[in-house]
Amino acid sequence: MNAAPLPPLTLTPDEWDAFLARLYERGERLDVRVPGETYPPEEDVDPYVLSAHAEALRSGEVDGDVWGTLEDIEETADDEEQAWARVVAFYLGRGCVLLRVTGTGEPEEWLLEEGLARRLGLMPGAAG
């Protein structure tokens, strides 16, 4: 576990789309495309594919089941905002990073394991 949670990562909708376009999924591994390489269409990554690799999410496009996640971590809440805040606190306390997409009509927030976020080029010291 990290001593202090990592600051949230923030992307615009265009950056989010570009981020997803840089990824591919082969088998159960999510990775960054190598320039000049060819990838079959079935390896494309959209929010649904990414959701399989996220620890938790709150999205207008993908059902992240905030209440189910809250139950999994054995917490309770009075409303969805409080539920999501508790989910975020739980995962940030375990070394995950919060990725926010700004400028969307509904909240778009994803919790990713720090190592995955680095490997996918979202953080300094990353391969991408």
Side-chain angles (χ1 to χ4, degrees):
M1 280 199 261
N2 293 342
L6 296 167
L9 305 171
T10 304
L11 299 178
T12 66
D14 288 343
E15 290 169 333
W16 171 246
D17 291 342
F19 165 68
L20 292 174
R22 286 193 313 263
L23 304 180
Y24 73 96
E25 183 186 53
R26 185 171 293 156
E28 293 185 19
R29 182 167 169 86
L30 192 62
D31 219 328
V32 178
R33 293 173 186 264
V34 175
E37 293 284 323
T38 304
Y39 298 86
E42 63 268 14
E43 292 182 348
D44 290 351
V45 173
D46 62 14
Y48 292 98
V49 172
L50 182 61
S51 72
H53 300 272
E55 298 300 321
L57 62 108
R58 181 170 73 158
S59 170
E61 189 171 345
V62 179
D63 179 12
D65 190 16
V66 171
W67 291 106
T69 303
L70 187 71
E71 186 177 312
D72 289 346
I73 63 172
E74 299 179 353
E75 288 278 354
T76 60
D78 296 327
D79 58 38
E80 189 166 337
E81 286 300 316
Q82 186 181 62
W84 181 244
R86 290 187 178 166
V87 168
V88 169
F90 178 87
Y91 282 103
L92 290 182
R94 283 154 181 79
C96 291
V97 62
L98 178 63
L99 171 62
R100 286 187 176 131
V101 182
T102 61
T104 59
E106 297 181 52
E108 194 69 43
E109 298 181 324
W110 297 69
L111 286 156
L112 302 173
E113 192 276 325
E114 180 185 355
L116 177 64
R118 283 191 191 287
R119 189 165 47 78
L120 298 181
L122 288 169
M123 300 175 65

